[in-house]
Amino acid sequence: MKKSVLFAGAAALMLCFASCNGGKKAETTETPVEQPAAEAAAPEYKLLDLPTVDLSTFPKDKDGWITLFDGKTLNGWRGYDREDVPAAWIVDDGAIHIKGSGNGEAGAKDGGDLVFAHKFSNFELEFEWKVDKGANSGVFIMIQEVEGQPAYISAPEYQVLDNENHPDAKLGVDGNRKSASLYDMIPAKPQNAKPYGEWNKGKILCYKGTIAHYLNSDSPVVEYHMWTPAWKEMLDKSKFSKDKWPLAYELLLNCGGEKKEGFIGLQDHGDNVWYRNIRIKLLD
């Protein structure tokens, strides 16, 4: 008997609560919890697995310098993302010459970037370069061959440029698109490139993520450190940022892939440029 009275009282209270609120549910002051946005998936891409060469078959001097270009042939070299040498690249008077197409980057009928077909990790790379009037090119390191994409999408670039006559010299920030700069990220200082038609001496030192650029001097003009927060910050401020170019950002953030190694390459930017005396020393 007591139990039924309690139930009846509870029912009456519920009816009263409903009528007092106009039959509506009671309001709540709780703030909905926002769910974190799902992080965008990394862009998809395909890495190619093209032929490489046996570095031990190339001349090596007593100091450990290995000749990558013999001044006569393009032995060891091939096109980026291809197994042969593009016809736009020739040997000319002891130098590798990209014949300018006048059609902009990789615009030659049978052009495109050139790579030495061996992957490097820690090294010193020496080379000489000269440009035609108004010419543009570059030397890449840590290239990953990505199907359908340009070489620079994965590779830091040592800029090669006619600073006086190419408009790129005035673009970018603080001269970071001038010769020997880390393209679009760090300007080469001092800027001591020689005028077009004259040979320049360049060097790139790469050791466990620390990179230094040299130009006509024994002192570095650029230094940076890959795989660090500072490297990410530079990418965030460049044309390769995550919002501007997600795939380039993903690849450059992780330069060299899992093994932290990649190809060395020369850029076809549609202009006449020459390279010679290319040699490398492997570092432990």
Side-chain angles (χ1 to χ4, degrees):
M1 192 69 179
K2 189 175 181 181
K3 188 179 291 186
S4 62
V5 172
L6 290 173
F7 281 136
L13 286 172
M14 292 177 67
L15 286 170
C16 178
F17 182 80
S19 63
C20 291
N21 285 278
K24 298 179 181 179
K25 293 182 179 178
E27 294 182 1
T28 178
T29 57
E30 291 184 5
T31 303
V33 177
E34 292 187 7
Q35 297 298 321
E39 188 171 330
E44 294 185 0
Y45 58 92
K46 179 182 178 182
L47 293 178
L48 301 180
D49 186 17
L50 297 176
T52 57
V53 296
D54 181 357
L55 198 62
S56 68
T57 63
F58 289 77
K60 183 177 182 179
D61 70 15
K62 61 182 178 60
D63 295 319
W65 288 98
I66 302 168
T67 299
L68 300 187
F69 171 57
D70 61 14
K72 300 176 182 178
T73 71
L74 289 173
N75 178 40
W77 297 81
R78 59 171 174 78
Y80 169 83
D81 273 10
R82 54 192 288 179
E83 297 186 23
D84 60 343
V85 176
W89 291 93
I90 63 171
V91 176
D92 175 17
D93 193 25
I96 297 177
H97 175 203
I98 175 61
K99 296 184 293 183
S101 64
N103 294 323
E105 190 172 2
K109 185 177 180 181
D110 189 12
D113 299 334
L114 194 70
V115 301
F116 185 82
H118 182 87
K119 292 184 178 181
F120 298 97
S121 54
N122 300 314
F123 58 85
E124 282 185 70
L125 174 70
E126 289 188 349
F127 53 95
E128 293 180 21
W129 60 270
K130 72 174 180 178
V131 293
D132 204 355
K133 185 175 182 179
N136 186 344
S137 182
V139 178
F140 299 122
I141 61 170
M142 292 291 182
I143 296 172
Q144 308 299 302
E145 290 187 288
V146 183
E147 185 177 52
Q149 297 291 340
Y152 62 79
I153 196 171
S154 68
E157 178 184 350
Y158 177 114
Q159 173 78 311
V160 168
L161 195 76
D162 174 8
N163 289 336
E164 298 302 318
N165 298 288
H166 195 286
D168 219 19
K170 298 179 177 62
L171 300 177
V173 178
D174 194 25
N176 66 2
R177 295 189 181 183
K178 291 184 177 182
S179 288
S181 296
L182 171 60
Y183 177 74
D184 204 54
M185 287 191 271
I186 303 178
K189 292 184 178 182
Q191 182 51 241
N192 55 5
K194 296 179 181 179
Y196 75 88
E198 296 186 26
W199 286 102
N200 293 269
K201 185 174 182 179
K203 182 170 83 167
I204 301 174
L205 171 66
C206 177
Y207 187 70
K208 296 183 178 180
T210 293
I211 316 296
H213 295 183
Y214 297 76
L215 177 63
N216 299 321
S217 171
D218 292 330
S219 299
V221 294
V222 165
E223 183 177 331
Y224 56 100
H225 307 273
M226 298 187 296
W227 318 314
T228 64
W231 175 246
K232 179 181 182 300
E233 185 178 346
M234 283 195 297
L235 288 174
D236 289 337
K237 296 177 181 179
S238 76
K239 65 182 286 185
F240 308 110
S241 65
K242 191 172 185 177
D243 59 328
K244 294 176 184 175
W245 201 345
L247 181 54
Y249 183 81
E250 173 75 13
L251 291 164
L252 287 167
L253 191 62
N254 301 288
C255 273
E258 292 183 3
K259 295 184 178 180
K260 292 181 168 49
E261 63 179 17
F263 298 103
I264 288 166
L266 309 177
Q267 185 183 43
D268 170 15
H269 209 287
D271 303 318
N272 282 295
V273 181
W274 294 260
Y275 295 93
R276 70 181 185 186
N277 294 330
I278 306 171
R279 63 179 191 164
I280 197 165
K281 179 188 288 188
L282 305 184
L283 304 176
D284 295 331

